[in-house]
Amino acid sequence: GQQVMQIPQYQHVQEGEDFTTYCNSSTTLSNIQWYKQRPGGHPVFLIQLVKSGEVKKQKRLTFQFGEAKKNSSLHITATQTTDVGTYFCAGEGDSNYQLIWGAGTKLIIKP
Amino acid sequence: NAGVTQTPKFQVLKTGQSMTLQCAQDMNHEYMSWYRQDPGMGLRLIHYSVGAGITDQGEVPNGYNVSRSTTEDFPLRLLSAAPSQTSVYFCASSYPWGPQHFGDGTRLSIL
C-alpha cells in the first residue's frame, strides 16, 4: 500500500541553527500537508502544498513539494525554542480520502 | 467556536470492557476521522467517514466500530478492550481535501 517515509526521526539542534525534515512517498500525491504537534498536544495544521514544484514560506519556515509530487521538505531557519515539537507530513493520494502520515521528526533544541 | 470536541480526555478500562469515545464538530465538515497515536509514533487511521451514513476502514480498524448518523458526531466504539489498545486517540474533521482539525485527544489506558 501507499507509504510516506519521513526522516530523520529526531534532530537535535542548538538554538539558532537550521532544521530540515524530509518526506518521500511511494506513489504520486495529489497534495501534501504539514502539521506540528507540541508535546502533550494535538497536531496543528501548518500548510498544504498542491502544485508540482511548489514552494511556500511562513516566516522562518519554507515548504517545498517536489516536481514529481512524491517528496516534500520543511526547512526552519534559525530555530527558536518555540519551534520545539514533532513535525509531520501527511500525503493524500488521488483515489480516495485517506491521509497517509509520515512517522514525524522530533525537533529538540539543545540547551 | 468549539471546533472538534472529544470526550472523555482520560479513561482507564479493564481488559474486556467496552466503551465509546465521543467526537463532535461544529464546523459542518463532511469528513471525519479517528486516529490512534502510540508513544513516539505517528498517526494511524482507524476509521473515517466522508459524510453522514458513510464510513470506511482505515489502516488499523480491528477491535473498533464507528457510525455516522449526523454530520456533527462520529463516535468510536471499543468492543472488548485489550492492552494493545492503550493509546492516545484523536478525532479530526475537514472539508474534502482540506486541512484536518483535531480534537485534544483521549488518553486511554487498558489494564
Side-chain angles (χ1 to χ4, degrees), chain B residues 13-82:
Chain B
L13 292 178
K14 295 181 179 178
T15 298
Q17 287 185 315
S18 62
M19 80 160 294
T20 299
L21 307 184
Q22 301 292 343
C23 177
Q25 55 96 5
D26 61 1
M27 295 171 282
N28 203 31
H29 286 165
E30 294 172 52
Y31 289 1
M32 296 187 75
S33 305
W34 275 103
Y35 295 92
R36 61 176 289 174
Q37 185 176 37
D38 298 315
M41 304 286 286
L43 296 166
R44 291 188 291 170
L45 182 65
I46 305 171
H47 286 284
Y48 65 99
S49 169
V50 298
I54 306 169
T55 64
D56 207 346
Q57 295 181 350
E59 179 186 357
V60 289
N62 292 341
Y64 308 94
N65 274 354
V66 292
S67 59
R68 183 98 180 268
S69 56
T70 67
T71 299
E72 293 78 20
D73 299 299
F74 191 42
L76 177 73
R77 297 182 192 85
L78 276 71
L79 308 174
S80 177

Side-chain angles (χ1 to χ4, degrees), chain A residues 72-91:
Chain A
S72 183
S73 65
L74 158 59
H75 180 82
I76 303 177
T77 303
T79 54
Q80 300 175 358
T81 55
T82 53
D83 296 325
V84 163
T86 301
Y87 293 84
F88 292 97
C89 63

Side-chain angles (χ1 to χ4, degrees), chain A residues 21-41:
Chain A
T21 174
Y22 302 91
C23 281
N24 286 288
S25 170
S26 56
T27 60
T28 301
L29 301 170
S30 62
N31 70 80
I32 194 158
Q33 301 173 17
W34 285 92
Y35 293 78
K36 177 183 178 181
Q37 185 177 26
R38 294 182 185 274

Side-chain angles (χ1 to χ4, degrees), chain A residues 11-58:
Chain A
Q11 189 162 358
H12 294 75
V13 300
Q14 297 277 6
E15 188 175 5
E17 291 181 337
D18 293 355
F19 161 83
T20 305
T21 174
Y22 302 91
C23 281
N24 286 288
S25 170
S26 56
T27 60
T28 301
L29 301 170
S30 62
N31 70 80
I32 194 158
Q33 301 173 17
W34 285 92
Y35 293 78
K36 177 183 178 181
Q37 185 177 26
R38 294 182 185 274
H42 59 270
V44 175
F45 173 77
L46 294 176
I47 208 159
Q48 182 178 37
L49 305 172
V50 179
K51 299 177 183 177
S52 168
E54 190 168 16
V55 178
K56 287 188 175 181
K57 292 190 176 184
Q58 289 180 348

